[in-house]
Short mmCIF file of all heavy atoms in Angstrom, two decimals:
data_model
loop_
_atom_site.label_atom_id
_atom_site.label_comp_id
_atom_site.label_asym_id
_atom_site.label_seq_id
_atom_site.Cartn_x
_atom_site.Cartn_y
_atom_site.Cartn_z
N ASP A 19 105.64 -85.59 -100.64
CA ASP A 19 106.01 -87.00 -100.56
C ASP A 19 105.20 -87.83 -101.56
O ASP A 19 104.00 -87.64 -101.70
CB ASP A 19 105.75 -87.48 -99.12
CG ASP A 19 106.25 -88.88 -98.90
OD1 ASP A 19 107.30 -89.25 -99.48
OD2 ASP A 19 105.58 -89.62 -98.15
N ASP A 39 96.11 -87.26 -105.27
CA ASP A 39 94.91 -86.58 -105.77
C ASP A 39 94.82 -86.52 -107.29
O ASP A 39 93.82 -86.08 -107.83
CB ASP A 39 94.83 -85.16 -105.20
CG ASP A 39 96.09 -84.35 -105.46
OD1 ASP A 39 96.89 -84.73 -106.34
OD2 ASP A 39 96.28 -83.33 -104.78
N ASN A 91 81.67 -84.11 -131.85
CA ASN A 91 82.52 -84.15 -133.04
C ASN A 91 82.69 -82.77 -133.68
O ASN A 91 83.32 -82.63 -134.72
CB ASN A 91 81.98 -85.14 -134.07
CG ASN A 91 80.63 -84.73 -134.64
OD1 ASN A 91 80.06 -83.71 -134.26
ND2 ASN A 91 80.12 -85.54 -135.54
N SER A 111 82.20 -54.44 -134.24
CA SER A 111 82.82 -53.19 -133.83
C SER A 111 83.91 -53.53 -132.82
O SER A 111 83.97 -54.64 -132.32
CB SER A 111 81.80 -52.23 -133.20
OG SER A 111 81.27 -52.78 -132.02
N ASN A 120 75.85 -70.08 -134.27
CA ASN A 120 76.21 -70.31 -135.66
C ASN A 120 75.05 -70.05 -136.61
O ASN A 120 75.26 -69.66 -137.75
CB ASN A 120 76.75 -71.73 -135.86
CG ASN A 120 75.71 -72.81 -135.59
OD1 ASN A 120 75.05 -72.79 -134.56
ND2 ASN A 120 75.58 -73.76 -136.49
N LYS A 122 72.41 -67.80 -136.19
CA LYS A 122 71.92 -66.41 -136.21
C LYS A 122 73.02 -65.37 -136.16
O LYS A 122 72.75 -64.19 -136.37
CB LYS A 122 70.98 -66.17 -135.01
CG LYS A 122 69.78 -67.07 -134.95
CD LYS A 122 68.75 -66.62 -135.93
CE LYS A 122 67.47 -67.43 -135.75
NZ LYS A 122 66.47 -67.07 -136.73
#
Side-chain angles (χ1 to χ4, degrees):
D19 187 35
D39 54 18
N91 66 358
S111 63
N120 65 310
K122 302 283 187 183

